[in-house]
Amino acid sequence: MGGPGDPPEGTPEGGPVGGEDEYRSVVFDESFIRAARLQESSARERMTDHAPAVRRRPPLRRGLTRQALILVVLILVAFGTAIYMGVRHPYGTDEAQQPAEPLRMTVIPLSPQGRVPGAADAETLFAHSPAAQYEVGAEGIPLPAARSTAHFSDSQVVTALTTAKDYLVRSSLYPEVLDSSEVRPARALLDPGQLDQFDQSVDHPAADGRHAPTGWLVRFDPTRAELADPRIRVQGNLTATETDPATLEVTADHTFVYALRPTGAPAGAQASLFTVRRQLTFRFDRDDLRLHQTQLVVSYVQAGPLSCAEDAADHLHPLLAGQTAKAGGPAGTNPFATDSATALCGTLSTAAEPKV
């Protein structure tokens, strides 16, 4: 006899053993049925509504999960931010950056009218000179109160003033720069567009108004003079102005007074004062401000006591205590005065020398 579920005639020959349905592996679960695009109308629907045997089901609405929606929003925000930053300059302007302007320089040697005054004590020299009330070192280069301009913020103006001061300190006060053993401290602050001119000035100096190292730096002939007192006296001022929407300019006017003695002389040897007045113009575009670098575009230098017969382009060759030089150039020039010198070689005014 057949089993309870078998047909009366028994299992057909060749059919599945034990009455297994050959389509049992195909499962029509609820999700499969709900996903079907066609739906058969029920008998009642066909009787009452004269509906067709089958009808098309509306497509299922599958909403995004909350996590997927948040991810999509974040991607859109990031993409929009990238586009915005790509088309907008980070400093709020899209002006093209101008190439660095070459430095124009003038170095004026000032020749003494008589013997260079000297004293064994550098303090005595300073006390009896116009530099008696000057500050020592970087203290003599104070930063003015910084105010924003039409296109530059307070912080950008401060950056320009600070960079100009740093250049003055590195090029006028660093001992390794003064003794001509280094140029890198000042070079590191220059705009890359001026580095070739700077390097050519150092490697191949020339008194052509473009390639004199003494237009970039204060440096003495190391075979002739060295510092007798490391406390260099300084006085001057810095001023920042906006020259156009893309450029800040800082003007610097400072007088540096050095106590020098002959190279290798004993500590008790007589010292003398050497004065350098530097009138510099610095220019900053927005890249310079961001990178803490500058373009030095004008350098006007008066220095003495020097001999007008010696080339002051490569090094300053100071006349030291007791030395003299032939008078040359127009009437005496006082680097402590505020009027500008115009001579290519001047005479050092006695008012600029210590009264000892």
Side-chain angles (χ1 to χ4, degrees):
M1 293 181 65
D6 293 340
E9 298 83 4
T11 302
E13 185 177 355
V17 179
E20 293 182 359
D21 188 350
E22 64 178 311
Y23 297 104
R24 185 171 294 176
S25 60
V26 180
V27 179
F28 298 99
D29 58 12
E30 184 178 355
S31 62
F32 179 86
I33 295 172
R34 293 167 74 179
R37 302 301 300 274
L38 298 178
Q39 181 181 16
E40 182 179 3
S41 300
S42 66
R44 183 180 298 277
E45 290 172 334
R46 290 197 298 270
M47 292 175 58
T48 59
D49 297 335
H50 305 285
V54 294
R55 64 176 182 269
R56 185 174 295 276
R57 297 183 58 164
L60 290 177
R61 294 187 177 183
R62 292 191 175 94
L64 292 173
T65 65
R66 179 176 297 180
Q67 293 84 351
L69 183 60
I70 292 174
L71 180 60
V72 170
V73 171
L74 290 176
I75 292 174
L76 291 175
V77 170
F79 185 70
T81 302
I83 294 176
Y84 175 82
M85 294 303 292
V87 299
R88 180 178 174 86
H89 196 284
Y91 290 100
T93 183
D94 56 358
E95 294 96 343
Q97 300 296 333
Q98 298 296 320
E101 181 179 332
L103 170 61
R104 306 185 309 276
M105 61 185 73
T106 305
V107 180
I108 310 295
L110 302 179
S111 178
Q113 299 183 46
R115 291 184 180 274
V116 176
D121 181 15
E123 284 292 340
T124 301
L125 291 171
F126 284 123
H128 292 84
S129 79
Q133 304 302 318
Y134 284 15
E135 298 289 345
V136 174
E139 295 298 320
I141 313 175
L143 295 180
R147 296 181 180 178
S148 62
T149 66
H151 299 90
F152 293 89
S153 66
D154 289 349
S155 62
Q156 290 174 315
V157 175
V158 169
T159 296
L161 291 167
T162 302
T163 304
K165 175 177 179 176
D166 288 346
Y167 186 89
L168 285 166
V169 169
R170 295 187 185 193
S171 64
S172 309
L173 300 177
Y174 273 26
E176 63 269 30
V177 173
L178 298 176
D179 68 12
S180 302
S181 62
E182 278 288 358
V183 298
R184 288 179 295 179
R187 184 184 187 276
L189 291 178
L190 291 174
D191 183 288
Q194 289 192 313
L195 294 181
D196 285 345
Q197 184 188 6
F198 180 91
D199 292 340
Q200 186 175 351
S201 300
V202 174
D203 297 336
H204 306 286
D208 59 359
R210 288 288 188 271
H211 301 98
T214 49
W216 301 93
L217 316 159
V218 176
R219 65 178 196 165
F220 301 113
D221 180 352
T223 67
R224 179 172 296 188
E226 63 184 16
L227 288 176
D229 187 338
R231 294 170 297 176
I232 300 163
R233 301 323 197 253
V234 187
Q235 179 171 283
N237 58 78
L238 294 166
T239 305
T241 56
E242 178 182 317
T243 57
D244 61 57
T247 310
L248 271 178
E249 201 166 85
V250 173
T251 56
D253 187 352
H254 293 80
T255 300
F256 301 84
V257 186
Y258 307 84
L260 303 178
R261 64 187 175 200
T263 301
Q270 280 204 327
S272 59
L273 297 186
F274 189 88
T275 303
V276 180
R277 183 177 176 187
R278 305 185 76 194
Q279 296 169 284
L280 309 179
T281 301
F282 300 92
R283 190 166 294 165
F284 299 84
D285 60 27
R286 298 185 185 277
D287 282 344
D288 292 327
L289 294 172
R290 179 171 54 86
L291 298 173
H292 190 66
Q293 62 192 21
T294 185
Q295 304 169 41
L296 179 59
V297 295
V298 176
S299 174
Y300 190 88
V301 179
Q302 304 169 60
L306 290 171
S307 174
C308 293
E310 293 192 87
D311 183 9
D314 189 10
H315 296 88
L316 300 174
H317 308 279
L319 294 173
L320 303 173
Q323 295 181 336
T324 60
K326 293 181 179 180
T333 301
N334 183 357
F336 290 93
T338 57
D339 59 313
S340 298
T342 57
L344 295 179
C345 183
T347 301
L348 183 65
S349 171
T350 56
E353 297 179 324
K355 303 299 186 290
V356 293

